[in-house]
Amino acid sequence: MNNDELWQATLAQIQLNISPANFATWFKNTKVNHQENGKVVVSVSNSFAKEWLENKYGKSILKILHSLDEKIKDVKYEVGKTEMKVFKKDSVFLPEIGQLGFQEFEIQKETNLNPKYTFENFIIGPFNELAQAASWAVSKNPGGVYNPLFIYGRVGLGKTHLLQAIGNEVVKNFSKKKTRYIPSEKFTSEVVSSIRKHSMENLKLKYRAIDVLILDDVQFLAGKEKTQEEFFHIFNHLYEKNKQIILSSDRPPKAISALAERLRSRFEGGMIADISYPDYETRMAILKTKCQERKINFSEEVLDYIASNIQKNIRELEGALTRLSAYQKLNNQMPDVEIVKSLLQNLILSPKKLITPKKIIKMVAEFYDLKEKEILSPSRKREIVRPRQIAMYLLREELKNSYPFIGRKLGGRDHTTAIHAYEKIIKEIKKDENLAGEINLIKQRIFSI
Ligand code: ADP
Ligand code: MG
C-alpha cells in the first residue's frame, strides 16, 4: 500500500465512526506525507485541525493505521505548506466591487445585512479556513449542518464579515427565508425597550418568525440576565424548528463569564470554529486584494512593510491602505517606505514588548473577567482558583519563574501551591480541549499586546 492508499483506507474507517460534518471539518485536506521508521507523518491544513486530530482522534487513527500495517507505531501531525486562496466562484466579481466603491453599499432594512460582506471578497488562509468552511456549509444548508454555528476570534479578524457573508448568501439562495443580522448590543437594547413598553410579546413574535438568526458579539450578553433569558427562549424555539442560529464572540463560550449555564451549553451544542491571526502570506494576499478592489497600487516593498508590521488585525491592514491612498491622492505621488513608516507610525506596534509576570496576571484576569486583586486574594472560589492556577502555570511555562517566586507573586502563597497548580494544569490540558484552547487564547493575547 502506498501512502495515499494507506490514508484512504484509514479515512474510510474513520468516516464510519464520526459524523459527516466532523469528518469534513477535521479530515479535509489531510494526507500522509511520508513514513519513517514506523512513524507516519500526516499533513493537515492548520494548527487548529492539528490539535484536534492529535487530541481527539489521535488514538483511533493510530489504531486503524496499525491494524492496516503493523509496522506503524506512531503518528505525527504537521501543518502543511501555507496555501493562499481567494474564494472564487465567479472570478470576475472582485473588479466589479472596485467599481462600485464600498460607500455605495447600503444596509438592507429587512435583514440588517450589509451587502459589502460576501464570501467572494473574504480571503481564506490557514487562520480562518475552518470558520469559513463551516460558514459556507451553513449558508448552503441553513439549519441542516452546524447548529448553532459559533465563531470566535479577536477583534478585527473577520467575524462580522463572515457572519454577514452567510446572511447575504442565504438571502441570495433562499429568498423566502427570513434572515436577520443583529449585534448583541442592539438585541439587548431591543429587549430593554420592549420591557419598558410592555411589548415583549411583539419582540418574541418577531424573532420566532426568523429562519436564519445571526447574533454578533454575544460576549456582550454577559451579565445581562433578562436579555439572556429572552434569548434562551428564542434560541430554543428556533432550534426546535430547525432554524439556523449563528453566533460570534471574542472568546469561546466556556470563557464568557456571567453567561447562564443553560445558554452556554446551547452555544456549545453545535459547531465551534475559531479565527486566529493571519500569517504573513495571507496578510500580503489581503492587502493585494484590497488594493485591487479599491483600484490603488503600491509597490511590493510598501505592501511588505505593512504586512510585516501589522499582524493582528485585518481592519488595521485596511486602515493602513486607506491612509496611504489618501496621501497618494492628496500629493499625487506614491509614498515610499520612509513616508509609509511615518504615516503608519501610530498603527504599528512598537518592537517586541517585554512579557512580565504582571502582564501575564493581568491578561489572565482580563480573560476571565476578574480583577487582578481577586486573583491575588485568598479566595477559594472555583471561578477564581482556576484562573489563578492558570496564571501560575503560565509564569512557569512562559517565563520559567521559580516556584517560590510564583507563589509570592500570586498573593504570597507557598511554593508547594505553585507546584501543585502547575502540575494540575499540565495534566488537565491533556484531557480538556477547552482548557487547552483557553490557554492558547490567553497566550495569543499575552504575546500580541
Ligand atoms: P471582527 O468582527 O472580527 O472584529 P470584521 O469582520 O469587522 O472583524 O473585519 C474587519 C475588517 O477586515 C472588515 O472590513 C472586513 O471586511 C475585513 N476582513 C476581515 N477578514 C477578512 C478576510 N478574510 N478577507 C477580507 N477582508 C477581511
Ligand atoms: Mg465584529
Side-chain angles (χ1 to χ4, degrees), residues 258-430:
L259 184 69
E261 195 46 47
R262 57 182 188 172
L263 205 49
R264 189 193 314 278
S265 75
R266 290 292 184 280
F267 289 178
E268 286 174 341
M271 165 82 174
I272 301 183
D274 80 327
I275 303 185
S276 57
Y277 295 126
D279 50 89
Y280 173 83
E281 286 78 10
T282 316
R283 298 200 294 276
M284 276 303 258
I286 289 173
L287 286 171
K288 287 181 176 168
T289 313
K290 305 251 165 198
C291 282
Q292 194 190 339
E293 284 172 7
R294 298 175 184 199
K295 298 208 173 311
I296 46 180
N297 209 347
F298 297 111
S299 68
E300 193 76 13
E301 201 189 353
V302 164
L303 296 182
D304 168 70
Y305 180 81
I306 304 174
S308 307
N309 287 283
I310 300 179
Q311 302 172 343
K312 317 276 183 201
N313 190 320
I314 294 170
R315 186 174 294 120
E316 285 179 6
L317 286 178
E318 293 181 333
L321 288 181
T322 307
R323 220 174 274 188
L324 298 188
S325 104
Y327 173 93
Q328 198 173 27
K329 282 198 188 110
L330 279 174
N331 298 285
N332 217 359
Q333 84 182 46
M334 287 269 224
D336 62 24
V337 169
E338 278 317 304
I339 292 175
V340 170
K341 272 187 198 169
S342 70
L343 284 174
L344 301 185
Q345 225 165 26
N346 56 355
L347 265 183
I348 286 169
L349 296 169
S350 51
K352 262 204 175 351
K353 286 186 195 142
L354 224 57
I355 297 159
T356 59
K358 192 169 167 35
K359 185 166 166 187
I360 291 186
I361 295 168
K362 180 166 178 280
M363 290 296 156
V364 173
E366 238 177 65
F367 188 81
Y368 292 102
D369 278 337
L370 295 172
K371 300 203 179 67
E372 273 176 71
K373 249 194 353 242
E374 291 175 293
I375 290 212
L376 307 182
S377 74
S379 168
R380 300 292 312 151
K381 282 194 207 145
R382 195 186 139 74
E383 61 269 29
I384 296 179
V385 171
R386 172 48 70 91
R388 187 186 294 136
Q389 290 174 333
I390 292 174
M392 290 180 163
Y393 162 83
L394 287 169
L395 289 186
R396 179 74 189 170
E397 195 72 10
E398 300 303 325
L399 298 182
K400 309 284 177 246
N401 288 144
S402 74
Y403 291 119
F405 175 88
I406 295 173
R408 263 204 316 280
K409 271 281 161 198
L410 280 134
R413 294 179 153 73
D414 192 69
H415 75 280
T416 51
T417 311
I419 296 176
H420 172 74
Y422 177 70
E423 288 175 349
K424 187 167 168 91
I425 298 296
I426 293 241
K427 222 165 54 213
E428 291 194 6
I429 286 177
K430 296 208 179 95

Side-chain angles (χ1 to χ4, degrees), residues 198-211:
H198 306 289
S199 57
M200 193 51 97
E201 277 313 304
N202 290 345
L203 183 95
K204 280 186 184 148
L205 286 176
K206 177 171 116 182
Y207 278 94
R208 286 178 178 192
I210 290 173
D211 296 300

Side-chain angles (χ1 to χ4, degrees), residues 116-117 121-124 127-128 153-162 216-217 275 286 290 313-315 318:
K116 85 170 188 185
Y117 295 116
N121 61 11
F122 189 80
I123 292 153
I124 309 167
F127 73 111
N128 63 9
R154 297 210 65 189
V155 65
L157 292 173
K159 301 183 294 297
T160 297
H161 189 136
L162 255 188
D216 204 355
D217 287 319
I275 303 185
I286 289 173
K290 305 251 165 198
N313 190 320
I314 294 170
R315 186 174 294 120
E318 293 181 333

